[in-house]
Amino acid sequence: MLRYLTVPVTPFAQNCSIVWCDHTLDAVIVDPGGDLPRLRAAVAELGVRPVAIWLTHAHIDHAGATGTLAREEGLPVIGPHPGDQFWIDALPQQSRMFGFPPAEPFTPTRWLADGDTVRVGDEVLTVRHCPGHTPGHVVFHSAAARRCFVGDVLFAGSIGRTDFPGGSHEQLIASIVERLWPMGDDTVFIPGHGPESTFGRERRDNPYVGGT
């Protein structure tokens, strides 16, 4: 069974997720934006074994500690989509702009595309490319667990910003309607910031996409 723990990191309270298979205890770290001592303590308390880093996108609060964690733990970096290459290249500039610790450069071990699958232990998740917040944003969907890790595409009561370079409001709405809603109203999503919600609740009540 797929299990996960949400660990808020960075001054932006970004929801980093430790996701693991409870059979093998293999784990992945989704969006390690920073605060590595906190993440390592959570991993140790859970007793799981990290095998990879998964990235939804390459904004500093989601990817800032990726290079350091990958180097120190010998972990492959999976994702995001190649559309975020320029955001990866800009991580040092992003860290200075937002007052984050210096971000080590990295090259993803594997880029992701729409329809790809990723695995942690016995659990397989589907990748959907959801541009709009960033050009290369992806989400990770477990149909079996009825969970989706959506990064900054959708929030409880809101949607991702589209005023950054490469952002597109039209693309973001299309990503939500065409890629997320078909996963089912009962699917719980883990956003990049704030509390969890369900796609059904957001379809009904979210002022930006309600009724779509």
Side-chain angles (χ1 to χ4, degrees):
M1 182 181 298
L2 189 78
R3 303 282 301 278
Y4 65 94
L5 174 70
T6 300
V7 183
V9 297
T10 83
F12 291 0
Q14 190 275 124
N15 289 333
C16 176
S17 293
I18 302 169
V19 182
W20 72 95
C21 165
D22 67 357
H23 178 236
T24 65
L25 297 183
D26 285 349
V28 296
I29 313 298
V30 181
D31 289 353
D35 296 332
L36 290 184
R38 182 183 303 170
L39 292 177
R40 288 191 169 106
V43 166
E45 185 172 348
L46 292 169
V48 297
R49 179 177 53 256
V51 296
I53 297 166
W54 294 355
L55 293 181
T56 63
H57 65 295
H59 282 163
I60 186 67
D61 54 324
H62 290 254
T66 297
T68 302
L69 184 62
R71 175 180 57 79
E72 292 182 350
E73 304 294 336
L75 300 176
V77 179
I78 311 301
H81 177 282
D84 267 21
Q85 176 69 69
F86 79 98
W87 279 115
I88 294 175
D89 295 341
L91 280 170
Q93 179 184 354
Q94 292 185 62
S95 67
R96 292 190 298 271
M97 183 181 303
F98 292 105
F100 275 60
E104 281 193 30
F106 66 90
T107 301
T109 311
R110 175 190 169 194
W111 293 106
L112 294 173
D114 189 60
D116 282 353
T117 58
V118 289
R119 176 184 291 272
V120 54
D122 297 336
E123 303 298 321
V124 177
L125 291 82
T126 301
V127 175
R128 299 310 309 265
H129 179 212
C130 292
H133 179 65
T134 70
H137 201 301
V138 297
V139 306
F140 301 101
H141 176 223
S142 169
R146 310 301 292 171
R147 295 292 186 276
C148 190
F149 300 87
V150 302
D152 286 355
V153 174
L154 181 69
F155 304 114
S158 189
I159 59 175
R161 291 177 59 169
T162 57
D163 57 337
F164 293 122
S168 166
H169 180 78
E170 293 75 17
Q171 274 192 327
L172 184 67
I173 299 301
S175 291
I176 293 168
V177 173
E178 298 171 8
R179 300 278 168 85
L180 299 188
W181 291 169
M183 295 176 188
D185 285 353
D186 62 340
T187 295
V188 174
F189 68 91
I190 300 86
H193 306 267
E196 297 179 2
S197 182
T198 65
F199 291 149
R201 184 178 304 135
E202 300 312 305
R203 290 184 73 175
R204 183 179 65 248
D205 299 331
N206 190 305
Y208 297 93
V209 287
T212 56

